[in-house]
């Protein structure tokens, strides 16, 4: 028995966790009782199908992640709180402490002292470095679409800044071949004869990977559709020669993504000339337009706002009722000059290492993706996730003693389209995958910290639950939930599938305090996701620091074991 095992628990349960427990008990959603202590909440998420035209020659036995075809993958994100575990947290904590410091050179007291400094650092409001850096980089170079010059300039800026300003950190890049999709000029006009100009210019964004329209654009009537089943029922007789508009309310990203991802391919089966997809965002952002990747089809695809989708639908219904000559059927002209170039250029992942003090070859990987869409500046998606990892490493690098294992920050390239940054990293390091002790990704917005969803064996999950419940205190971020591999992070998925324990680092919704898995948890994030409003103002400097300290705490605990 180590003397530290008798050390009193420094903090009680984090307030957030106890509030969640109380609230859930009150709502009778999950009762804290012997009978259902293993009960979990299991919302279902749908994710975009990766593009099919990317082929990958991986090692024998390795299934390329891009080899799927057909329907959208149905991934279950188990945002689970094993409520019953709360009753045995004390026991786990002490069990955890026994396992925490197997090294003869590092005592538990050393680890706890280091972690305590990280937590205190997170509560120190004078540190706004991560936010200032993110603001400066996005002000200087703008968004970071994969393959863009701005991406490379931003990557150089991070490497330069880390090497010049952050003692003990070493920054460099590793090559990644990327595709290029350029939207070029695009426009959408709705013909409304009663308006003085006879038409209205609608806000629109072509969907990533879309083909262009024919020269001069495509002009046709618009048929509102609300499901793929309805599309099939309407069939060729109604759809052929027209433009399909998917007008489906945002009921969560997972439930709504399929129209953006598969809409064009489904509609072209029935002879549609193009598709318009109502933007994937909560109702309150009714006038904004959000882009995102789509499966490349033979017809073009564009996103329009909720307000314009409803406008077109009202026109359609009035025209069908036929009560006035003013009530014409909705007709639009869509012009898109998008171009796709495969294997366009060599770009890079950005990597920042803090060398481990005892086992430098073993790696705890912290990550976010560095590429963004070509709208806004990508401050939230996923600049904040990438800089969160960087700031966590910087906080750890300032401690007197580096953890036993190496902390590696990876800012992935090409997440938004083909995840080639993740594949390039895997290829380059495939003989060292077993040296990766743990991998974490943040790509759901960085607000106040909630904790980790883990795809790891139960022993590790239980151990981290013990730490989470007792170490994080007012800082927050100590929650742990079990998950499946697919839900931890798009870029680390390939590592997880090759045996690396993985975690997704998640935040609390700053609007309503909802935790992952609770109603409307994702709404705040999706107000700004892939939109022009993804600016630095979405990110709060103090929330970013607190999350970085929380992530740093997890990283240190894992890397120092
Ligand atoms: Zn993202």
């Amino acid at each position: 028995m180590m003397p530290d095992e008798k050390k009193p628990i420094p903090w009680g349960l984090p307030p957030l966790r106890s509030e969640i427990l109380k609230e859930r008990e009150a709502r009778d959603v999950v009762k804290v009782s012997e009978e259902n202590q293993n009960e979990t909440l299991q919302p279902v998420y749908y994710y975009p199908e990766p593009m099919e035209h990317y082929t990958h020659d991986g090692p024998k036995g390795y299934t390329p992640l891009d080899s799927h075809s057909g329907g959208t993958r149905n991934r279950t994100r188990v945002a689970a709180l094993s409520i019953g575990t709360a009753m045995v947290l004390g026991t786990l904590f002490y069990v955890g402490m026994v396992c925490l410091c197997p090294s003869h050179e590092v005592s538990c007291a050393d680890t706890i002292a280091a972690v305590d400094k990280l937590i205190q650092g997170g509560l120190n409001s004078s540190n706004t470095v991560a936010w200032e850096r993110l603001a400066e980089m996005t002000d200087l170079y703008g968004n970071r679409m994969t393959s863009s010059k701005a991406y490379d300039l931003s990557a150089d800026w991070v490497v330069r800044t880390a090497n010049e300003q952050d003692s003990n950190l070493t920054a460099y890049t590793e090559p990644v071949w990327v595709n290029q999709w350029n939207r070029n000029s695009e426009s959408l006009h709705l013909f409304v004869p009663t308006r003085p100009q006879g038409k209205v210019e609608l806000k629109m964004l072509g969907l990533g990977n879309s083909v262009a329209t024919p020269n001069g654009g495509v002009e046709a009537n618009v048929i509102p559709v609300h499901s793929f089943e309805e599309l099939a029922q309407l069939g060729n007789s109604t759809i052929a020669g027209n433009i399909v508009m998917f007008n489906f309310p945002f009921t969560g990203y997972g439930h709504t993504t399929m129209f953006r991802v598969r809409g064009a391919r489904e509609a072209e089966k029935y002879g549609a000339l193009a598709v318009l997809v109502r933007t994937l965002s909560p109702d309150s952002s009714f006038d904004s337009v959000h882009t995102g990747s789509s499966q490349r089809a033979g017809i073009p695809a564009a996103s329009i706002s909720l307000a314009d989708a409803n406008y077109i639908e009202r026109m359609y219904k009035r025209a069908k009722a036929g009560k006035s000559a003013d009530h014409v059927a909705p007709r639009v002209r869509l012009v898109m000059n998008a171009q796709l170039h495969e294997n366009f250029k060599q770009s890079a992942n950005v990597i920042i290492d803090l060398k481990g003090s005892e086992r430098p070859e073993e790696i705890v990987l912290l990550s976010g993706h560095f590429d963004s869409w070509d709208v806004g500046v990508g401050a939230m998606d996923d600049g904040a996730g990438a800089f969160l990892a960087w700031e966590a490493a910087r906080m750890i690098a300032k401690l007197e003693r580096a953890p036993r294992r190496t902390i590696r920050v990876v800012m992935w390239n090409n997440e938004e389209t083909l995840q080639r940054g993740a594949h390039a990293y895997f290829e380059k390091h495939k003989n060292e995958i077993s040296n990766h002790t743990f991998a974490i990704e943040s790509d759901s917005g960085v607000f106040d910290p909630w904790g980790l969803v883990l795809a790891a064996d139960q022993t590790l999950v239980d151990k981290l639950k013990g730490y989470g419940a007792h170490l994080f205190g007012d800082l927050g971020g100590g929650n742990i939930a079990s998950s499946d591999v697919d839900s931890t992070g798009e870029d680390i998925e390939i590592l997880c599938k090759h045996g690396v324990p993985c975690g997704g680092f998640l935040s609390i919704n700053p609007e309503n305090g909802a935790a992952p898995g609770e109603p409307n948890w994702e709404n705040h994030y999706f107000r700004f996701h892939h939109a022009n409003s993804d600016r630095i103002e979405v990110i709060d400097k103090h929330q970013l620091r607190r999350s970085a300290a929380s992530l740093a705490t997890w990283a240190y605990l894992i890397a120092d074991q």
Side-chain angles (χ1 to χ4, degrees):
M1 296 252 297
M2 300 183 67
D4 294 303
E5 283 185 74
K6 294 230 163 65
K7 189 176 166 183
I9 295 166
W11 297 282
L13 284 172
L16 170 72
R17 186 182 176 88
S18 31
E19 275 162 27
I20 290 171
L21 293 176
K22 241 188 285 161
E23 195 196 327
R24 289 195 173 196
E25 200 173 6
R27 291 201 318 242
D28 211 19
V29 174
V30 178
K31 282 185 184 162
V32 182
S33 69
E34 289 292 335
E35 296 84 71
N36 57 8
Q37 60 182 269
N38 294 320
E39 190 168 346
T40 57
L41 299 177
Q42 304 190 349
V44 176
Y45 290 72
Y46 299 87
Y47 278 72
E49 181 77 10
M51 299 305 106
E52 290 172 6
H53 49 266
Y54 174 46
T55 56
H56 183 288
D57 298 314
K60 205 172 171 209
Y62 159 59
T63 308
L65 297 180
D66 294 297
S67 66
H68 303 272
S69 60
T72 299
R73 267 187 295 174
N74 178 350
R75 299 175 174 183
T76 304
R77 175 176 293 187
V78 186
L81 277 172
S82 296
I83 303 299
T85 307
M87 295 182 289
V88 289
L89 280 174
T91 315
L92 291 176
F93 177 69
Y94 289 116
V95 171
M97 285 300 104
V98 173
C99 308
L100 178 61
C101 311
S103 164
H104 296 298
E105 295 164 39
V106 179
S107 75
C108 279
D110 287 343
T111 303
I112 297 300
V115 159
D116 189 48
K117 278 192 181 154
L118 292 170
I119 290 170
Q120 294 311 317
L123 298 172
N124 173 6
S125 62
S126 66
N127 171 17
T128 57
V129 170
W131 190 93
E132 301 293 347
R133 285 178 168 179
L134 184 57
E136 182 179 344
M137 183 188 75
T138 52
D139 286 348
L140 289 174
Y141 305 112
N143 56 51
R144 304 169 303 285
M145 182 84 165
T146 191
S147 86
S148 67
K149 180 80 179 159
Y151 179 101
D152 293 341
L153 290 170
S154 304
D156 288 347
W157 185 89
V158 169
V159 170
R160 210 167 53 239
T161 304
N163 285 333
E164 285 173 3
Q165 297 179 16
D166 298 345
S167 44
N168 302 324
L169 295 185
T170 305
Y172 53 100
T173 59
E174 287 183 354
V176 182
W177 275 91
V178 295
N179 60 314
Q180 182 193 59
W181 181 81
N182 262 351
R183 72 176 61 255
N184 299 315
S185 60
E186 55 183 20
S187 65
L188 178 66
H189 286 90
L190 173 66
F191 295 100
V192 187
T194 47
R195 298 253 186 150
Q197 298 84 2
K199 60 186 177 183
V200 183
E201 179 159 13
L202 304 184
K203 283 188 189 175
M204 59 82 70
L205 283 171
L207 292 178
N209 302 309
S210 173
V211 296
T213 54
N215 277 344
V218 53
E219 184 180 320
N221 286 357
V222 182
I223 311 291
V225 171
H226 311 89
S227 67
F228 289 143
E229 291 73 27
E230 184 186 358
L231 178 72
Q233 278 163 14
L234 293 172
N236 274 66
S237 58
T238 306
I239 299 299
N242 291 309
I243 292 174
V244 165
M245 177 184 75
F246 291 105
N247 189 8
F248 188 87
F250 182 83
T251 50
Y253 193 63
H255 302 121
T256 323
T257 322
M258 58 183 159
F259 298 109
R260 189 194 76 202
V261 175
R262 288 164 47 205
R265 287 197 183 174
E266 293 297 324
E268 75 178 331
K269 291 179 190 167
Y270 305 101
L273 300 180
V275 294
L276 302 175
V277 182
R278 169 171 156 173
T279 211
L280 305 187
S281 193
D283 290 358
S284 54
S285 46
F286 61 88
D287 193 33
S288 64
V289 185
H290 302 231
T291 188
S293 68
S294 62
Q295 292 178 348
R296 191 170 172 85
I299 59 172
S303 176
I304 59 173
S305 73
L306 175 158
D308 286 335
N310 287 344
Y311 182 15
I312 289 171
E313 177 131 11
R314 288 193 300 274
M315 283 181 76
Y316 179 83
K317 285 180 177 163
R318 285 191 200 109
K320 229 177 160 189
K323 289 183 181 166
S324 163
D326 286 342
H327 295 168
V328 299
R331 186 172 182 82
V332 298
R333 175 184 289 274
L334 174 68
V335 179
M336 289 174 62
N337 292 296
Q339 290 172 305
L340 178 69
H341 302 285
E342 279 296 315
N343 292 320
F344 176 71
K345 67 184 270 194
Q346 183 178 293
S347 182
N349 288 329
V350 177
I351 301 183
I352 304 172
D353 283 343
L354 169 64
K355 198 174 172 190
S357 55
E358 276 185 44
R359 297 183 180 181
E361 73 286 359
E362 294 183 17
I363 291 159
V364 173
L365 187 149
L366 312 179
S367 68
H369 67 84
F370 198 58
D371 66 309
S372 70
W373 280 99
D374 55 344
V375 291
V377 298
M380 182 192 75
D381 184 15
D382 185 26
F387 277 45
L388 169 80
W390 181 10
E391 178 66 3
R394 193 184 74 92
M395 286 173 160
I396 295 172
K398 288 165 88 81
L399 297 173
E400 281 165 28
R401 183 178 62 84
R404 301 174 68 217
R405 294 177 180 79
T406 290
I407 301 286
R408 170 168 294 170
V409 174
V410 182
M411 302 185 183
W412 309 101
N413 197 339
N414 200 238
E415 187 275 346
E416 295 291 7
T417 48
L418 300 171
Q419 297 90 49
R420 287 193 178 167
H423 286 271
Y425 182 89
F426 178 81
E427 280 302 301
K428 185 166 174 59
H429 299 277
K430 63 186 171 196
N431 296 326
E432 309 148 23
I433 296 303
S434 60
N435 277 344
H436 288 67
T437 305
F438 208 90
I440 298 177
E441 181 161 8
S442 165
D443 186 19
S444 309
V446 180
F447 312 111
D448 260 325
W450 180 82
L452 292 169
V453 283
L454 295 180
D457 73 57
Q458 195 57 41
T459 311
L460 183 56
V461 170
D462 287 343
K463 187 197 280 189
L464 296 188
K465 274 182 181 168
Y467 299 158
H470 293 99
L471 289 175
F472 288 70
D474 290 343
L475 180 64
N479 293 288
I480 290 289
S482 291
S483 165
D484 59 11
V485 166
D486 295 338
S487 306
T488 54
E490 194 75 33
D491 300 290
I492 58 173
E493 187 178 307
I494 190 167
L495 296 173
C496 312
K497 288 190 169 168
H498 287 80
V500 179
C502 284
F505 186 81
L506 303 180
S507 295
I508 297 162
N509 182 329
E511 294 173 17
N512 57 13
E518 294 188 327
N520 302 321
W521 166 65
E522 59 188 1
N523 279 16
H524 184 73
Y525 178 71
F526 285 108
R527 258 184 246 304
F528 311 105
H529 176 255
H530 299 177
N532 277 308
S533 55
D534 185 353
R535 306 288 297 269
I536 190 66
E537 283 70 19
V538 181
I539 301 301
D540 177 272
K541 55 187 75 172
H542 302 297
Q543 291 176 357
L544 179 55
R545 180 196 59 254
R546 288 194 287 267
S547 275
S550 181
L551 177 62
T553 299
W554 282 119
Y556 200 97
L557 284 167
I558 296 165
D560 211 35
Q561 287 197 58

